Amino acid sequence: MIYLGVKALVSAVLIVLASEIAKRSPAAGALVASLPLVSVLGMIWLWRDTTDADRLASHAEATFWYVLPSLPMFLLIPVLIRRGLGFWQALLAGCALTVVLYLTMTWALARAGIKL
């Protein structure tokens, strides 16, 4: 139980750190947020919990494929906000786009013989 708490605390600290840095410098906060810290921590926790090399390799590969369809969200949100759409609506639209692109990516990869 303590281990689960440590995992949650370390993960939460990274999110808070990125948002606090972004208050002072949006670019620096974006840099911290863009680092694959969550992915790296996820791999560390997965390795520590399972030491299963195949599972870790599959996780890392799937992470790569799922990052790609999430990237357009970071272009859509600022465009919508700059055109006058509210933050929550822009965020919702970005998330919706990401879901559609996730589903499309999963379908396309399955057709290409890549199983996630």
Side-chain angles (χ1 to χ4, degrees):
M1 187 56 113
I2 292 173
Y3 173 62
L4 184 60
V6 168
K7 285 172 39 174
L9 182 63
V10 169
S11 303
V13 165
L14 290 173
I15 293 168
V16 170
L17 180 65
S19 68
E20 290 300 312
I21 291 171
K23 287 180 188 177
R24 292 172 185 85
S25 169
L31 176 63
V32 171
S34 72
L35 296 172
L37 297 172
V38 172
S39 298
V40 170
L41 279 176
M43 287 188 284
I44 291 169
W45 303 139
L46 180 61
W47 181 254
R48 186 183 182 290
D49 293 346
T50 68
T51 63
D52 183 337
D54 287 335
R55 181 180 300 264
L56 182 64
S58 294
H59 171 77
E61 183 179 29
T63 300
F64 168 80
W65 289 112
Y66 283 129
V67 163
L68 296 178
S70 70
L71 294 177
M73 174 181 72
F74 298 104
L75 297 174
L76 179 63
I77 291 172
V79 167
L80 295 176
I81 288 173
R82 288 185 180 125
R83 290 188 178 174
L85 199 62
F87 166 74
W88 293 109
Q89 292 84 6
L91 182 62
L92 182 61
C95 290
L97 173 64
T98 301
V99 168
V100 168
L101 293 176
Y102 279 158
L103 294 172
T104 303
M105 175 69 81
T106 303
W107 173 83
L109 289 175
R111 300 237 344 158
I114 297 172
K115 184 178 181 223
L116 299 180

